[in-house]
Structure formats: C-alpha cells, structure tokens
Amino acid sequence: MDSNADAVVIGGGIFGASAAHFLAKKGFGNIVLLEKRSLAAVSTGHSAANVRTYYSNPMTVQLAWKAVQMFERSEELLGGDCGFDQIGFLLLIDEENRIPGKHILEMESSNGVEVKDMSVEDLKELAPDMNTEGLIGGIYEVRSGYADPIKTTKSLAYKAKDWGLKVYEGVEATGISLEGDRVTGVSTSDGFISTPVVINAAGPWGNQVGSWVGLNHSIRWSRETDMAVHLPPNFGRMPVVSDPSLVFYYRPQGQGELVAGLGFPKEIEPVDINSYDETLDPDSRHRIERKLFERLPVLKDAKYSHGWASLYTISDDWHPLVGKEDGLQGYYSCFAGSGHCFKLGPPIGEALADMIMGQDTSIDITALRPSRFKEGEPMTSAWGGGNRA
Ligand SMILES: Cc1cc2nc3c(=O)[nH]c(=O)nc-3n(C[C@H](O)[C@H](O)[C@H](O)COP(=O)(O)OP(=O)(O)OC[C@H]3O[C@@H](n4cnc5c(N)ncnc54)[C@H](O)[C@@H]3O)c2cc1C
C-alpha cells in the first residue's frame, strides 16, 4: 500500500472509477482508488446501464449527451470496450405525457441531441412486437443505447494504471484525517495514506465516509430490482424502451435476453444498506411481468432467466452531490447518483477532475454542488421526483 498520494478516491463504482481515471489522465499525480469489495460490486454492477438523454433540465441533458458521445468512442475516451450497444432509445408517449413529452423533445433538440418525433406507425416499424394500445407516439434517441457497467468501470480504472493510478480492491477506507479544515490523509484497512485530496465516491456509504469529516447529507436509499427473460427465437428488434404509461422500462441484453425493471413514480423501498435481499422477490417479479406482458404480449410464455436487487442512493432532488464541500480544504463529494448516474458517471468524473485541478469544466456542474440545498437552490424536474430527473 502506498503511504503517499496526491489524491485518494474512496469507492470503485462508476463515480470513483471515472474521477480517478480523469485525474490520472490529466496528470494530477499519484492517484489511489480504494474499493472495499471489488470494482462495480454494488449499484454500478447491478445497473441496467441505459445510456439515454431524455431529461428535463439542460445541464443533465448536456451531461447525458456528452456521455453518449463518450460511450460511442469508449476505446479512446473511456479506456477500453464498454460494451456499448447503440440500439437507440425510445420514450413512449401517451395522452397524459403529451405535454412533458413535448418539453423533453424541445429540450433535447435545443441541446443538440439527435431525436425523432415518432408516430404510432413509426413505433410499429421500430419495435414490431410492441402493443401500441393507448400510445400516441414516442420520442426516439437515435444514438442512445445501453452499456456493460462492469466492463465500463474496469476499463476506466485499469486503463488509468498506465498513467499511474493505483487500484486497491478489497481495501476499505476507515477514516479521514484533518489538520484544521484541511485533509491530510486516509486511514485504510491496509495502512495510512497521506494525501491533500479525498474524493468521497462511496455510493450508498457516502454519508458514512462524510461523517468522518463532520458531514451528514439528507440521503435515502431504495432497493431496486431488475429481471431478465429469454427471448423467443422469432422476437423482432427493439431499442431500449421507457414506458411512462405502464411505468417500467426494458431493453435487450445481447442477442437472446430482455432486461426489464419498474420505473418512477413509485414508492421507494427503504433498505438497510449493509444487509438486504439482493435477489428478485416474487412481488417485484410479478409487477414487472404484468407490465411486460401487457406491452409485449408475445413474451407471455417467455422463460424467466434471472433477477436481482441493488441500491439507489437518493438525494432530496434526485441529483447527485458533486463538488467541494464548504469549510473543508481538499475534500470533495461525488455520490447519491440516484437512478440515473451510471451514464453520467464519466462526464461528471471528468468535470470533477477539472474542478479539482482548477480548470474550466466543459459543462458547468456547479448546480450539483452539495451546498445547493442549504442555499435553497435544489434542482427541479418536469417529471417530478424519480430517476427521470
Ligand atoms: C437496478 C438499478 C438499475 C439502474 N439503471 C440505471 C440505468 O439504466 N442508467 C443509469 O444511468 N443509471 C442506472 N442506475 C443508477 C446507477 O447504477 C447509479 O447511479 C450508479 O451506479 C452509482 O454509482 P456510484 O459509484 O455512486 O455507487 P456504487 O456503484 O455503489 O459504488 C460505490 C462503491 O464504494 C465502495 N465503498 C463504500 N464505502 C467504502 C469504503 N469505506 N472504502 C472503500 N470502498 C467503499 C462500495 O463498495 C461501492 O463499490 C441503476 C441502479 C440500479 C440499482
């Protein structure tokens, strides 16, 4: 274990791997990434990893659009193959969602995203097995898709070893030392590292790490489930689909499977983050299947493959806490990714690295500063709370 570093990143999910990658790439010096389990072991590795751009505020749209372009060129920009399957993303629109849908279409177009306004006939052509009853059309993001979250995290972390990043898996951060208001080091299960810069990317444990420097953000956690079914051999093509009408989403997984999960708004499912059921429970499976069979009746006899549960770490406005913490020198938060920060991990990690290095960011992310709630400036969403942000 190194005894000195220019920066220590706590947490090897998408946020920690991205921040560490870009700090190392930009030449910040010796960077250490600590992960108490293995890379992408918690929320990131269980993410549906949909990479799409429909959000209701310009900053998130710009970050997501940048993410699409990073995933398109992942070998060059994210360190390797991220398993990006660029099959497009379709947001289904019913009468109730006509107005927010129009807003989203305008928002995406005005931020340069390639989107198409789809009629019901277009939907039938794009996704022939879909039951379009109750729909009035859709919004199609041509360049979106989904990625492999574990490959992505590993590509970011392992490529950065070429620029001096040290990645320690199975090593837990256990404390942070301060001299006055200045960070001086991190205690770990494998010794002490002197450092002037710490990034808290501990995901669900972000508040635990923050408590070591006297912070306590308002955070909730929710247990979130996904399931996969085997596709019948004659199943037609489909993009990633978000269905606000039935409140769920689905997408293909490689050639032979489909992954589906519940959408928002829904009740969050409070959870003990240190001990929870990581399997798909029968009730969630039943709820997902009911929606799936309604939208895709041809799947009624499809064979169940597997399911899982993991964690959302949710801030009060459903946007992550990113940036320097007031009153502390050298301490940065980067957690509470809620339900949409797999895709935003790389652009946010890059912007945070720029901020730490005192450089301009290509997208201004100061709206995500952790002090925004105290200052009465939370983010807002046309859709209300939830992962549609
Ligand atoms: C079921 C599900 C579906 C999702 N679908 C999507 C989607 O389609 N698209 C999308 O963009 N987002 C999606 N998300 C959200 C996305 O996955 C999360 O926002 C993102 O992965 C959060 O990343 P993170 O790095 O903050 O957290 P995590 O991946 O949880 O990483 C935090 C890491 O910190 C480590 N750690 C904690 N404490 C310490 C310590 N003291 N020392 C060392 N290591 C520590 C943990 O072990 C963990 O590995 C989904 C999430 C879930 C659960």
Side-chain angles (χ1 to χ4, degrees), residues 11 14-15 35-36 43-44 47-50 173 204 337-340 342-343:
I14 191 67
F15 271 149
E35 168 49 55
K36 65 180 175 180
S43 306
T44 300
S47 176
N50 296 324
S338 305
H340 62 289
F342 166 71
K343 73 186 71 62

Side-chain angles (χ1 to χ4, degrees), residues 4-327:
N4 279 286
D6 293 299
V8 172
V9 182
I10 302 173
I14 191 67
F15 271 149
S18 299
H21 177 92
F22 287 106
L23 274 177
K25 186 173 188 175
K26 289 167 189 279
F28 191 65
N30 302 321
I31 319 296
V32 167
L33 175 61
L34 302 174
E35 168 49 55
K36 65 180 175 180
R37 298 185 186 177
S38 54
L39 291 174
V42 189
S43 306
T44 300
H46 296 90
S47 176
N50 296 324
V51 179
R52 46 86 172 175
T53 52
Y54 95 89
Y55 290 102
S56 68
N57 61 75
M59 183 202 63
T60 314
V61 174
Q62 286 160 23
L63 286 168
W65 182 228
K66 180 158 186 190
V68 167
Q69 294 167 73
M70 288 170 125
F71 278 99
E72 278 178 340
R73 295 163 60 201
S74 67
E75 296 279 353
E76 181 192 345
L77 299 179
L78 301 179
D81 175 20
C82 294
F84 185 46
D85 198 354
Q86 199 168 26
I87 51 173
F89 170 89
L90 178 63
L91 173 67
L92 302 180
I93 303 289
D94 61 6
E95 192 52 53
E96 199 182 323
N97 287 300
R98 185 192 287 274
I99 304 292
K102 196 167 175 295
H103 175 71
I104 298 295
L105 190 66
E106 283 163 7
M107 174 68 69
E108 294 206 75
S109 302
S110 66
N111 281 282
V113 181
E114 284 173 40
V115 274
K116 284 187 186 163
D117 197 357
M118 307 284 278
S119 66
V120 173
E121 281 59 46
D122 295 333
L123 300 186
K124 285 180 180 151
E125 200 175 312
L126 185 68
D129 293 301
M130 182 193 287
N131 167 17
T132 56
E133 204 181 312
L135 301 174
I136 60 167
I139 297 171
Y140 183 52
E141 298 172 3
V142 183
R143 284 163 65 180
S144 293
Y146 69 94
D148 180 325
I150 298 176
K151 264 190 186 169
T152 304
T153 309
K154 289 186 173 172
S155 291
L156 286 161
Y158 295 159
K159 175 64 187 177
K161 289 182 179 182
D162 295 353
W163 306 308
L165 175 70
K166 305 275 179 50
V167 180
Y168 293 100
E169 295 180 72
V171 177
E172 181 169 4
T174 54
I176 296 174
S177 304
L178 295 174
E179 264 177 33
D181 65 359
R182 207 164 44 81
V183 166
T184 55
V186 176
S187 307
T188 81
S189 53
D190 201 17
F192 183 78
I193 311 171
S194 294
T195 184
V197 173
V198 170
I199 298 175
N200 173 1
W205 294 270
N207 259 2
Q208 180 191 44
V209 170
S211 72
W212 301 334
V213 294
L215 295 171
N216 181 24
H217 287 293
S218 176
I219 293 295
R220 293 175 298 161
W221 298 271
S222 183
R223 185 175 163 279
E224 295 295 324
T225 50
D226 274 338
M227 64 174 277
V229 295
H230 296 286
L231 290 173
N234 54 347
F235 193 85
R237 68 200 175 93
M238 66 177 143
V240 179
V241 175
S242 175
D243 187 338
S245 169
L246 294 181
V247 200
F248 85 123
Y249 60 86
Y250 60 89
R251 65 158 171 84
Q253 174 66 49
Q255 292 305 313
E257 287 193 350
L258 174 147
V259 167
L262 298 172
F264 279 79
K266 69 179 168 86
E267 293 295 307
I268 70 160
E269 191 182 327
V271 65
D272 174 354
I273 58 171
N274 295 305
S275 161
Y276 59 95
D277 180 4
E278 294 186 38
T279 62
L280 176 67
D281 53 282
D283 180 51
S284 299
R285 175 176 166 182
H286 179 66
R287 286 166 67 200
I288 299 170
E289 281 179 345
R290 234 182 25 221
K291 294 162 189 284
L292 192 59
F293 300 160
E294 185 174 339
R295 188 58 76 207
L296 294 170
V298 294
L299 289 188
K300 256 208 292 285
D301 300 319
K303 207 165 147 260
Y304 172 76
S305 170
H306 61 288
W308 62 92
S310 188
L311 300 170
Y312 276 11
T313 304
I314 306 166
S315 71
D316 285 351
D317 62 7
W318 284 81
H319 289 269
L321 305 166
V322 186
K324 185 180 172 303
E325 293 281 1
D326 284 353

